[in-house]
């Protein structure tokens, strides 16, 4: 896990914008939303293998709500920015995030 974190950080620093890979089937939930600054807090973090720069989909009842990009990762939660071009509806607490 640490090797993946470091490889991801190095790729970012040298300008490598290739997509970051996460464990298959990773799921989490939105636990807080800031609509003013368009960011969310998720209930998944390093303990589940989340890495910065990963993009994930937001789902509510089988419907696409939007897409996010992870900005920072702590041990058991993450902060992500909502990507404006992908925003289909307002993100709400309890929405599911999928990789």
């Amino acid at each position: 896990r640490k090797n993946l974190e470091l490889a991801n950080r190095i790729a970012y620093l040298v300008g490598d914008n290739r997509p970051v890979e996460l464990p298959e089937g990773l799921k989490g939930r939105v636990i807080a939303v800031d609509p003013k600054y368009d960011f969310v807090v998720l209930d998944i973090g390093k303990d589940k293998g989340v890495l910065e720069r990963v993009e994930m989909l937001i789902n509510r009842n089988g419907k696409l709500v939007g897409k996010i990009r992870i900005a920072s990762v702590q041990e058991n939660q993450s902060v992500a920015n909502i990507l404006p071009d992908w925003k289909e509806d307002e993100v709400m607490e309890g929405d599911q995030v999928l990789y």
Side-chain angles (χ1 to χ4, degrees):
R1 187 175 79 190
K2 192 66 171 168
N3 286 344
L4 283 175
E5 288 176 28
L6 291 173
N8 181 46
R9 188 74 178 145
I10 290 168
Y12 172 73
L13 292 173
V14 299
D16 183 351
N17 292 323
R18 282 182 276 170
V20 179
E21 299 293 323
L22 286 183
E24 192 68 34
L26 180 65
K27 295 179 185 178
R29 294 248 174 237
V30 174
I31 57 174
V33 179
D34 185 324
K36 181 177 180 182
Y37 294 106
D38 265 349
F39 75 87
V40 295
V41 179
L42 309 175
D43 67 352
I44 53 176
K46 288 181 184 179
D47 59 341
K48 301 291 185 192
V50 177
L51 297 171
E52 292 178 0
R53 300 187 310 124
V54 167
E55 294 182 357
M56 299 180 78
L57 299 175
I58 302 173
N59 175 23
R60 183 182 317 126
N61 300 324
K63 179 184 170 206
L64 177 67
V65 175
K67 192 174 187 178
I68 56 174
R69 180 177 297 126
I70 305 296
S72 68
V73 182
Q74 289 81 40
E75 189 58 36
N76 58 6
Q77 66 182 16
S78 305
V79 176
N81 297 312
I82 300 169
L83 301 176
D85 292 345
W86 282 82
K87 193 171 180 181
E88 299 291 324
D89 199 353
E90 292 302 316
V91 178
M92 298 172 25
E93 291 179 17
D95 285 347
Q96 186 177 48
V97 291
L98 310 164
Y99 178 71

